[in-house]
Amino acid sequence: KAGVTQTPRYLIKTRGQQVTLSCSPISGHRSVSWYQQTPGQGLQFLFEYFSETQRNKGNFPGRFSGRQFSNSRSEMNVSTLELGDSALYLCASRTGMNTEAFFGQGTRLTVV
Amino acid sequence: KNEVEQSPQNLTAQEGEFITINCSYSVGISALHWLQQHPGGGIVSLFMLSSGKKKHGRLIATINIQEKHSSLHITASHPRDSAVYICAVPLSSGGGADGLTFGKGTHLIIQP
């Protein structure tokens, strides 16, 4: 059974650009959540999608957005990149609420 | 919003020692997650538990719902157990929200 796949694994972008990250959940998992990990703030919740609907959003500016497609694959987008957006972005898939979370390997974004 | 406190933040031990990592949270939860993160970023789910105790190999996780406290134990520790261990709980006790909030992690080093 394939795990959670995140692409790309590494990304370097320039300030002001935008970026799109992709997450393919485990087959049959309808919940996808996104997290940002930085050395200073640790792991922080970005948003969670279930069956194409955003159910919850963390405390991040509107430059951070996401969506989920009918096949449960999810994308997150960050517009007008800032240096502080440099982080490891992780997604996790679950079958539903209160079930085990399976994480992808993450996308390491560097903004220069 | 749930707050998660983990201790210790750093732990260095000798191979074979019994390891305990503690996690406390502020709001009643349905389930708690213990995660392991190795250098390079990938996060692996070790346990999800809502009551009592679970065991997997040399790892044991316990939870006391009334005291809002959980512990992760490693018996006969080995250098390959060296990693960051992270406790995570649902963002809130209410229904609908399915994101996780995390402790800052325990950086464990097992020396041969």
Side-chain angles (χ1 to χ4, degrees):
Chain A
K1 190 174 181 181
V4 179
T5 303
Q6 288 189 247
T7 56
R9 289 291 311 278
Y10 302 92
L11 207 46
I12 300 175
K13 289 286 190 179
T14 304
R15 267 184 307 174
Q17 287 187 312
Q18 76 162 21
V19 67
T20 299
L21 312 181
S22 178
C23 173
S24 293
I26 291 171
S27 177
H29 287 196
R30 295 162 66 189
S31 168
V32 174
S33 48
W34 288 89
Y35 302 91
Q36 182 196 64
Q37 186 177 35
T38 59
Q41 299 297 318
L43 276 157
Q44 293 184 284
F45 171 70
L46 280 158
F47 20 69
E48 191 262 345
Y49 289 88
F50 185 87
S51 293
E52 302 179 66
T53 299
Q54 185 182 91
R55 294 199 298 190
N56 200 6
K57 189 175 194 299
N59 189 25
F60 279 82
R63 300 185 296 105
F64 291 80
S65 64
R67 58 179 175 169
Q68 187 180 34
F69 302 96
S70 59
N71 62 357
S72 294
R73 189 177 72 85
S74 178
E75 289 181 347
M76 68 163 280
N77 184 277
V78 187
S79 62
T80 319
L81 283 165
E82 301 177 359
L83 295 178
D85 298 331
S86 295
L88 179 67
Y89 290 88
L90 291 150
C91 78
S93 80
R94 307 165 79 165
T95 54
M97 278 185 67
N98 299 323
T99 58
E100 188 176 7
F102 294 86
F103 287 80
Q105 289 295 305
T107 294
R108 188 164 295 280
L109 172 65
T110 302
V111 182
V112 297
Chain B
K1 184 195 164 197
N2 227 329
E3 304 286 340
V4 183
E5 294 287 335
Q6 244 186 276
S7 63
Q9 286 190 36
N10 297 284
L11 179 56
T12 300
Q14 295 298 122
E15 183 174 356
E17 286 189 38
F18 182 83
I19 303 299
T20 295
I21 300 170
N22 295 300
C23 175
S24 297
Y25 51 92
S26 58
V27 178
I29 58 170
S30 50
L32 178 144
H33 304 251
W34 280 105
L35 310 169
Q36 179 192 57
Q37 186 173 33
H38 281 284
I43 290 179
V44 173
S45 174
L46 298 174
F47 296 101
M48 187 188 80
L49 67 165
S50 55
S51 65
K53 176 177 165 178
K54 283 191 175 181
K55 185 174 188 289
H56 183 224
R58 295 179 295 104
L59 301 178
I60 303 166
T62 63
I63 189 167
N64 185 319
I65 294 293
Q66 288 71 33
E67 294 188 3
K68 298 187 180 63
H69 181 270
S70 176
S71 294
L72 176 68
H73 306 285
I74 304 175
T75 62
S77 59
H78 190 276
R80 65 174 173 268
D81 297 326
S82 299
V84 178
Y85 293 84
I86 303 168
C87 167
V89 299
L91 277 164
S92 68
S93 59
D98 203 30
L100 297 173
T101 187
F102 304 83
K104 293 198 180 301
T106 295
H107 188 191
L108 175 66
I109 298 173
I110 304 296
Q111 295 178 334

